[in-house]
Amino acid sequence: MQQLPRHTDVLIVGAGPAGLTLAVTLAQLGISHVIIDSKPTAAPGTKAAAIQPRTLEYLDRIGVADTLIGDGLRGGGFAVVDRDRPLMRMSYESVASPFPFLLLIGQQQTEVRLAERLEALGGHVHRSATLLDLHDDFPGIAATIADADGLVHAVTARYVAGCDGVHSSVRRLAGIDFPGDAPAALFALADVVLQEDSPRDLDTTFSLSPHGMLITSALPGNQLRVVASVPEGTPAPDTAAIAELLGRRGGGWIRGAAIESVPASSAYRVQQRVAATLHKGNVFLLGDAAHTHSPAGGQGMNTGIQDAANLGWKLHYVLTGRARDELLDSYDTERRPVAAQLIAFTSQLLQIATVTEPSSIQLRNDTLRAVADAPGITDFLAAKLAQLDVGYSRGSGDDAVTGTRIDPRVSQPSGLAWTLVTPPNADVPSDDADLTVTTTPDVDHPVAVRPDGIAADPALFTTLFGVDRHVQ
Ligand SMILES: Cc1cc2nc3c(=O)[nH]c(=O)nc-3n(C[C@H](O)[C@H](O)[C@H](O)COP(=O)(O)OP(=O)(O)OC[C@H]3O[C@@H](n4cnc5c(N)ncnc54)[C@H](O)[C@@H]3O)c2cc1C
């Protein structure tokens, strides 16, 4: 292990997607940080199998979107079928983003690309380094970390970011509760390699068959992600069990898909939990350490990456003395409701998908078919799944834009700089390297856009940049 520094501004515990995104963000912003992970290498396995458009918008700002898009497959969106009977299709082509597709790519590759970007920015993951303990060390926090040889190191940090997954030590050491439940639903989950000449469907397909739910999603390398609801006690599926699930529940080519091998297979029980707070003292929780829920809809990893997007720029402004500590309180106020709403949404998806009573199955499928024909419904759902609707408390009165996402095609961001989006005749010169000015007829008054793509509170903008731009 490379020598651990004794002091840093931000200690990031966990080098999964959330921790790596935070590390890349801080490296790009020039903030000192240390990122550790207890594992000696990046964990194998595809796990989260899709990146949403909203996430790509942030990954573009930190310089990894293009590489990931080159590695992955451009998925068309979500289709809901009852084997051969189409029920609903949420096409991502209609999604109002520069990235109108669901990027199909395994989590491991996402982590590899984030780690490469971190190295390119001069950063580095300290591997085989396990957080053992945390205690207050005014004005920051002292961490005890064990390396692979059992040697113990002390690192003091101004802040600790717990990105250490669902069994988070940081959460436990900070004494933060993780309330929620585990619904009685078991899933078989497998990564399957199909034979070379297998057909390819780039929609992620939910088959709501009378025999149970089956989700199939293409991955690079002729792989297919398979998720199926299974009865309690079912073991991780082998090749024969997966072929049986595909044959009974799948439609079209999926039914007869020729399996070459099964690199990964597990039985997975969903938990639905949100931490009681995402910020306590000098500690923050991000990603699965902060929230966990059903993987249906491909939202989990994406939400963790967005946590890092929200926290990263705030740490930058506080640590460089440009904002007061209170700015960090908005991390919990903004992100915890997002996590709670996500759990409500994925829980609904789970309930709809796992109905077992035959008459209820019929009713559900007929209803989905009818709802799909209502104008705007499938576009609305596609935008929701793409996470484009995720925003924070809105302004009052005429200020409806504060807290909402601004389409990057309007704001045209440059890296992690703020953008001031102005109408054509506004005279708003900027000599601040952290602020770019974009002129567009799409707005009728100036709007300041934060580095996470959200329209800023005008008062915050004025405080940070020192000038009242009459921004609304
Ligand atoms: C089989 C499987 C399939 C999944 N499929 C999907 C899917 O299709 N879609 C989806 O959105 N999500 C899916 N998920 C969930 C997704 O993988 C997680 O949401 C995502 O990994 C969370 O990222 P994270 O960065 O928060 O934490 P993690 O990826 O869990 O990373 C946490 C890291 O912290 C490290 N760590 C833990 N404790 C310590 C410590 N004390 N000291 C140092 N390091 C520590 C761990 O080694 C780990 O590398 C799946 C998960 C599994 C297991």
Side-chain angles (χ1 to χ4, degrees):
M1 184 177 77
Q2 210 178 66
Q3 188 65 37
L4 274 169
R6 294 180 61 190
H7 307 285
T8 186
D9 279 339
V10 184
L11 172 65
I12 303 170
V13 183
L20 286 167
T21 302
L22 185 62
V24 171
T25 299
L26 296 179
Q28 193 165 316
L29 292 168
I31 297 296
S32 108
H33 65 277
V34 169
I35 175 168
I36 61 167
D37 198 290
S38 46
K39 297 207 185 82
T41 56
T46 57
K47 296 197 278 181
I51 303 182
Q52 299 288 353
R54 178 70 176 274
T55 312
L56 284 172
E57 290 176 5
Y58 189 73
L59 294 176
D60 194 37
R61 282 178 174 259
I62 59 168
V64 278
D66 285 348
T67 324
L68 287 168
I69 292 167
D71 292 339
L73 301 171
R74 293 178 187 229
F78 290 90
V80 186
V81 303
D82 172 2
R83 290 162 303 173
D84 292 319
R85 180 184 177 219
L87 301 175
M88 185 184 260
R89 179 164 188 264
M90 279 80 78
S91 166
Y92 272 37
E93 279 159 33
S94 67
V95 156
S97 166
F99 306 102
F101 49 86
L102 180 66
L103 186 66
L104 306 175
I105 185 167
Q107 180 172 325
Q108 188 180 19
Q109 185 64 4
T110 302
E111 291 179 16
V112 164
R113 294 304 192 189
L114 282 165
E116 283 174 5
R117 174 73 179 138
L118 181 61
E119 300 247 344
L121 290 164
H124 167 81
V125 178
H126 293 266
R127 293 209 161 271
S128 301
T130 303
L131 176 77
L132 299 180
D133 201 5
L134 290 175
H135 55 90
D136 288 339
D137 186 18
F138 185 82
I141 197 157
T144 314
I145 295 166
D147 67 20
D149 300 323
L151 294 175
V152 173
H153 306 256
V155 175
T156 54
R158 187 78 181 78
Y159 300 105
V160 170
C163 305
D164 49 347
V166 73
H167 303 294
S168 170
S169 304
V170 174
R171 193 181 61 229
R172 176 178 49 80
L173 292 166
I176 299 173
D177 284 345
F178 200 35
D181 59 17
L186 191 69
F187 292 93
L189 212 139
D191 290 328
V192 172
V193 178
L194 299 176
Q195 285 179 5
E196 204 54 56
D197 51 357
S198 295
R200 223 160 229 280
D201 177 355
L202 293 182
D203 274 353
T204 294
T205 303
F206 281 68
S207 184
L208 305 180
S209 84
H211 306 290
M213 183 204 75
L214 174 77
I215 307 175
T216 47
S217 188
L219 280 166
N222 230 30
Q223 287 205 59
L224 188 70
R225 159 62 60 85
V226 177
V227 181
S229 54
V230 290
E232 284 298 324
T234 306
D238 57 13
T239 305
I242 295 165
E244 153 92 10
L245 286 166
L246 299 180
R248 276 166 74 81
R249 303 184 185 185
W253 67 273
I254 289 284
R255 200 161 30 231
I259 299 173
E260 188 164 296
S261 62
V262 179
S265 158
S266 56
Y268 183 88
R269 185 173 300 286
V270 171
Q271 302 225 22
Q272 305 181 137
R273 298 181 187 279
V274 185
T277 179
L278 308 192
H279 175 202
K280 185 173 176 188
N282 301 61
V283 169
F284 299 89
L285 299 178
L286 296 84
D288 278 17
H291 41 74
T292 183
H293 49 81
S294 141
Q299 307 287 306
M301 177 189 77
N302 291 273
T303 304
I305 290 175
Q306 293 293 337
D307 291 341
N310 185 289
L311 182 61
W313 69 267
K314 293 175 182 172
L315 287 170
H316 171 224
Y317 276 88
V318 171
L319 284 163
T320 52
R322 290 180 68 170
R324 296 157 68 102
D325 276 13
E326 287 77 47
L327 177 61
L328 298 172
D329 295 340
S330 67
Y331 173 67
D332 175 71
T333 345
E334 292 187 339
R335 291 305 293 172
R336 198 153 44 88
V338 170
Q341 284 158 20
L342 183 64
I343 284 177
F345 177 57
T346 54
S347 163
Q348 278 170 349
L349 283 179
L350 189 69
Q351 280 171 20
I352 292 170
T354 53
V355 166
T356 50
E357 177 65 30
S359 62
S360 307
I361 289 174
Q362 185 66 42
L363 180 65
R364 173 201 58 197
N365 291 3
D366 291 346
T367 307
L368 284 173
R369 181 92 194 233
V371 166
D373 290 336
I377 287 282
T378 53
D379 286 352
F380 168 82
L381 288 171
K384 186 162 186 60
L385 288 161
Q387 301 196 335
L388 297 195
D389 68 335
V390 173
Y392 311 123
S393 61
R394 318 237 150 157
S396 53
D398 292 338
D399 179 16
V401 74
T402 296
T404 60
R405 161 192 169 269
I406 304 296
D407 189 330
R409 291 171 302 179
V410 172
S411 59
Q412 297 176 34
S414 165
L416 291 172
W418 282 59
T419 316
L420 188 61
V421 187
T422 69
N425 296 323
D427 177 22
V428 211
S430 167
D431 51 11
D432 191 317
D434 280 350
L435 181 66
T436 56
V437 178
T438 301
T439 302
T440 167
D442 293 333
V443 297
D444 56 14
H445 57 263
V447 175
V449 183
R450 310 181 335 188
D452 56 356
I454 292 285
D457 178 342
L460 173 67
F461 177 72
T462 303
T463 310
L464 294 183
F465 289 91
V467 199
D468 182 0
R469 303 285 197 200
H470 305 294
V471 176
Q472 185 186 53

